[in-house]
Amino acid sequence: MPLLVTGTIGIDTVHTPTAKAEEVSGGSCSYFAAAAAFHHKPIRIVGAVGGDWPNDHAALLESIDGLCLDGLERRSESKTFAWGGRYFDNMNQRETLFTELGVLEEAPPEVPASYSDSRFIFLANSHPSVQLDLLSKFPDRELAVADTMDLWINIARDELLTLFKEIDGLIINDAEAQQLTEISNPITAAKAIIEMGPGFVIVKKGEHGAVLVHNDAIAILPAYPLELTGVVDPTGAGDSFAGGFMGFLAASGRLDFSAMQTAMAWGTVTASFTLGSFGLDGLASTTREDLEARMFDFRRIARVN
Amino acid sequence: MPLLVTGTIGIDTVHTPTAKAEEVSGGSCSYFAAAAAFHHKPIRIVGAVGGDWPNDHAALLESIDGLCLDGLERRSESKTFAWGGRYFDNMNQRETLFTELGVLEEAPPEVPASYSDSRFIFLANSHPSVQLDLLSKFPDRELAVADTMDLWINIARDELLTLFKEIDGLIINDAEAQQLTEISNPITAAKAIIEMGPGFVIVKKGEHGAVLVHNDAIAILPAYPLELTGVVDPTGAGDSFAGGFMGFLAASGRLDFSAMQTAMAWGTVTASFTLGSFGLDGLASTTREDLEARMFDFRRIARVN
């Protein structure tokens, strides 16, 4: 069950209340792929970087076992997508300091012919028309899941609604779900989004966990409880959650509700390692054993009995 | 294992974005007792009402099986505690419109001699000196748990810290935990509060669930997922959670961490019925069968597997 992800490979600069990290390895595609690779191989990447992409970022991504980088375009005359942000005191909210689109302003990356048998597709946040175009290249897909953001809800709502007819699942955060539906309750909002097309919706609530709505069934989980010292940088946690979720599903080959519920727990636990360091370092320095040990903890901590 | 609660029996007026309910039956003691009575009998009440206490409020409380009202003082010349509040659009935040202290400005209610063998004590929110005085009447108690509020953290911090040395557990909400410790992370804040005295701390996060910290062990649960239509009035949900929690512990006779984790799930499910109606009506119209059916659902919905 080859799993393909398309999204950004970025250079992030992150300010937190106590620290600052400059030009760390980031981007939705990177976080998703590194998280998914714990669960499944290969993870196929479709993305583009510029000539300024740091060698150590390349080395980090290449060091992650299970990633296929055949679909990673290096454009020597272009600039890599770059993002800078600052987190406020509670680490739950942030402001964007700068966004340099770089390669995102150019043509989307090509999909290698060798990727055409991909069955699981994750469309990380980008313009819904770009997501739709990518999706059209995989008529035999078994599961297509997308993310989106406030910008597209505002300026490309029609294209987004067209995308919703084509995807099986949507993973968005609570603020976006409310923006899309004007409904503050995440479950009621998810049901309204399902009416727009996707078979299931996961609403991510950051430190408060996530909720899955699939037809009339609901699954809800808290986030893995981290203390203050365990939250170094929340950037990429949502993409890591999606990567753990989709990676587990691709590995299991199952798409039933029970498998999705288990996949959500793996997404939760995988994302918790992203929070522990700046950039991709948290995931890159985590072992499968670390992940399983924390899953064991999570089952005990979040047990309903 | 007799379980005793002391707190307010109040007359509430509640405005929500879509409705208004005037002079409904409320108060921390009422919510706690009605919730605890699902799990354990008897629940002994220590509280006071005035001559204006409506007959239908009395009839409602008397109709709840398992409540012992021997410690309910009726003071014909006094006024019942009354509170009015307005919830904002998302039902998570509210403002107080008025507070009429009434009997709370007078001497605390007497504890009947027949209550002296109470082993489980819940001190709902009141001045920490009043809580301390009540507690001193039960030297043989096995479990004493308290709630508090922002007002006492502000104006009676020393008395509160004295109380913390005497209680086994504290149940407070996330904003209060942060106010008390100046730590925004609920787990780190709970650990800081444990350093002040209580053996365990539960931080309530409203619609986002609750977390229990007991020595180095942590348990976390989401709230029972309710749709918009299921959230009529959040007033009393926190006290109902505490009632379900303590009621289960008193019934089981166990105080180990595993029992507390199960008790937290029962607290969560019990509180969800309070949200469904104004005042005590939600709990009063719920059967033990309703409760067990929702607990069955909750185990399935919040399963980590």
Coordinates of all heavy atoms in Angstrom, one line a residue, chain A residues 16-18 88-92 207 225-233 275-276, chain B residues 178 181-189 191:
Chain A
T16 N 10.0 30.9 20.4 CA 9.1 30.5 21.5 C 9.4 31.5 22.7 O 10.3 32.3 22.6 CB 9.3 29.1 21.9 OG1 10.6 29.0 22.6 CG2 9.3 28.1 20.8
P17 N 8.5 31.4 23.7 CA 8.8 32.4 24.8 C 10.2 32.2 25.4 O 10.7 33.2 26.0 CB 7.7 32.0 25.8 CG 6.6 31.4 25.0 CD 7.3 30.7 23.9
T18 N 10.8 31.1 25.3 CA 12.1 30.9 25.9 C 13.3 30.6 25.0 O 14.4 30.5 25.4 CB 12.0 29.7 26.9 OG1 11.6 28.5 26.2 CG2 11.1 30.0 28.1
F88 N 3.1 32.3 21.4 CA 2.8 33.1 22.6 C 3.1 32.3 23.9 O 3.4 31.1 23.8 CB 1.4 33.7 22.6 CG 1.2 34.6 21.4 CD1 0.4 34.3 20.3 CD2 1.9 35.8 21.3 CE1 0.3 35.1 19.2 CE2 1.8 36.7 20.2 CZ 0.9 36.3 19.2
D89 N 2.8 32.9 25.0 CA 3.2 32.3 26.3 C 2.7 30.9 26.5 O 3.4 30.0 27.0 CB 2.8 33.2 27.5 CG 3.8 34.2 27.8 OD1 4.9 34.1 27.2 OD2 3.5 35.1 28.6
N90 N 1.4 30.6 26.1 CA 0.9 29.3 26.4 C 1.2 28.3 25.3 O 0.8 27.1 25.4 CB -0.6 29.4 26.6 CG -1.4 29.8 25.4 OD1 -0.8 30.0 24.3 ND2 -2.6 30.1 25.5
M91 N 2.0 28.6 24.3 CA 2.4 27.7 23.2 C 1.2 27.2 22.4 O 1.4 26.3 21.6 CB 3.2 26.5 23.8 CG 4.5 26.9 24.5 SD 5.7 27.5 23.3 CE 6.7 26.1 23.1
N92 N 0.0 27.7 22.6 CA -1.2 27.2 21.9 C -1.4 28.2 20.7 O -2.1 27.7 19.7 CB -2.4 27.2 22.7 CG -2.3 26.3 23.9 OD1 -1.5 25.4 23.9 ND2 -3.0 26.6 25.0
E207 N -3.5 20.9 22.0 CA -3.2 20.3 23.3 C -4.4 19.5 23.8 O -4.3 18.8 24.8 CB -2.7 21.3 24.3 CG -3.8 22.3 24.6 CD -3.5 23.2 25.8 OE1 -2.8 22.6 26.8 OE2 -3.9 24.3 25.9
P225 N -0.3 13.7 27.2 CA -0.1 14.8 28.1 C 1.4 15.0 28.3 O 2.2 14.2 28.8 CB -0.7 14.2 29.4 CG -0.7 12.7 29.3 CD -0.8 12.4 27.8
L226 N 1.8 16.2 27.9 CA 3.2 16.6 28.0 C 3.3 17.7 29.0 O 2.4 18.6 29.1 CB 3.7 17.2 26.7 CG 3.9 16.1 25.6 CD1 4.2 16.8 24.2 CD2 5.0 15.2 25.9
E227 N 4.3 17.7 29.8 CA 4.6 18.8 30.7 C 5.2 20.0 30.0 O 5.6 19.8 28.8 CB 5.5 18.4 31.9 CG 4.7 17.5 32.8 CD 5.3 17.6 34.2 OE1 5.3 18.7 34.8 OE2 5.7 16.6 34.7
L228 N 5.3 21.1 30.6 CA 5.8 22.3 30.0 C 7.2 22.1 29.4 O 7.4 22.5 28.3 CB 6.0 23.4 31.2 CG 5.8 24.8 30.8 CD1 4.4 25.0 30.1 CD2 5.8 25.6 32.1
T229 N 8.0 21.3 30.0 CA 9.4 21.1 29.5 C 9.4 20.2 28.3 O 10.4 20.2 27.5 CB 10.2 20.4 30.6 OG1 9.5 19.2 31.1 CG2 10.5 21.3 31.7
G230 N 8.2 19.5 28.0 CA 8.2 18.6 26.9 C 7.7 19.3 25.6 O 7.6 18.7 24.5
V231 N 7.2 20.6 25.8 CA 6.7 21.3 24.7 C 7.7 22.4 24.2 O 7.7 23.5 24.8 CB 5.3 22.0 25.0 CG1 4.8 22.6 23.8 CG2 4.4 20.9 25.5
V232 N 8.6 22.0 23.3 CA 9.6 22.9 22.8 C 9.2 23.7 21.6 O 9.4 25.0 21.6 CB 10.9 22.2 22.5 CG1 12.0 23.1 21.8 CG2 11.5 21.5 23.7
D233 N 8.5 23.1 20.7 CA 8.0 23.7 19.5 C 6.9 23.0 18.9 O 7.0 21.8 18.4 CB 9.2 23.8 18.5 CG 8.8 24.3 17.1 OD1 7.7 24.9 17.0 OD2 9.6 24.1 16.2
L275 N 6.7 17.7 19.2 CA 6.7 18.8 20.1 C 7.9 19.0 20.9 O 8.2 20.1 21.5 CB 5.5 18.7 21.0 CG 4.1 18.9 20.4 CD1 3.0 18.0 21.0 CD2 3.7 20.4 20.5
G276 N 8.7 17.9 21.1 CA 9.8 17.9 22.0 C 11.1 18.6 21.5 O 12.0 18.8 22.3
Chain B
Q178 N -4.0 27.6 37.0 CA -3.0 28.6 36.5 C -2.9 29.8 37.4 O -1.7 30.2 37.7 CB -3.4 29.0 35.1 CG -2.4 30.0 34.5 CD -2.6 30.2 33.0 OE1 -3.4 29.6 32.3 NE2 -1.7 31.1 32.4
T181 N -0.8 28.8 40.5 CA 0.6 28.5 40.4 C 1.4 29.3 39.4 O 2.6 29.2 39.3 CB 0.7 27.0 39.8 OG1 0.1 27.0 38.5 CG2 0.0 26.0 40.8
E182 N 0.6 30.1 38.6 CA 1.2 30.9 37.5 C 1.9 30.0 36.4 O 2.8 30.3 35.8 CB 2.2 31.9 38.0 CG 1.5 33.0 38.9 CD 2.5 34.1 39.3 OE1 3.7 33.9 39.3 OE2 1.9 35.1 39.7
I183 N 1.3 28.7 36.3 CA 1.8 27.8 35.3 C 0.7 27.4 34.4 O -0.4 27.0 34.9 CB 2.4 26.5 36.0 CG1 3.6 26.8 36.9 CG2 2.7 25.4 35.0 CD1 4.0 25.7 37.9
S184 N 0.9 27.6 33.1 CA -0.3 27.4 32.2 C -0.5 25.9 31.9 O -1.6 25.5 31.6 CB -0.1 28.1 30.9 OG 1.1 27.7 30.2
N185 N 0.6 25.1 32.0 CA 0.4 23.6 31.7 C -0.3 23.0 32.8 O 0.2 23.0 34.0 CB 1.8 23.1 31.5 CG 1.8 21.6 31.1 OD1 1.5 20.8 31.9 ND2 2.1 21.2 29.9
P186 N -1.4 22.3 32.6 CA -2.2 21.8 33.7 C -1.5 20.7 34.5 O -1.7 20.6 35.7 CB -3.5 21.2 33.0 CG -3.2 21.2 31.5 CD -2.1 22.1 31.3
I187 N -0.7 19.9 33.8 CA 0.0 18.8 34.6 C 1.1 19.4 35.4 O 1.3 19.0 36.6 CB 0.6 17.8 33.6 CG1 -0.6 17.1 32.9 CG2 1.4 16.7 34.3 CD1 -0.2 16.5 31.6
T188 N 1.9 20.3 34.9 CA 3.0 21.0 35.7 C 2.3 21.7 36.8 O 2.8 21.7 38.0 CB 3.8 21.9 34.8 OG1 4.2 21.2 33.6 CG2 5.1 22.3 35.5
A189 N 1.2 22.4 36.6 CA 0.5 23.1 37.6 C 0.0 22.2 38.7 O 0.1 22.5 39.9 CB -0.7 23.9 37.0
K191 N 1.2 19.3 39.6 CA 2.3 18.9 40.4 C 2.8 19.9 41.4 O 3.2 19.6 42.5 CB 3.5 18.5 39.5 CG 3.2 17.2 38.7 CD 4.4 16.6 38.0 CE 4.1 15.3 37.4 NZ 5.2 14.7 36.6

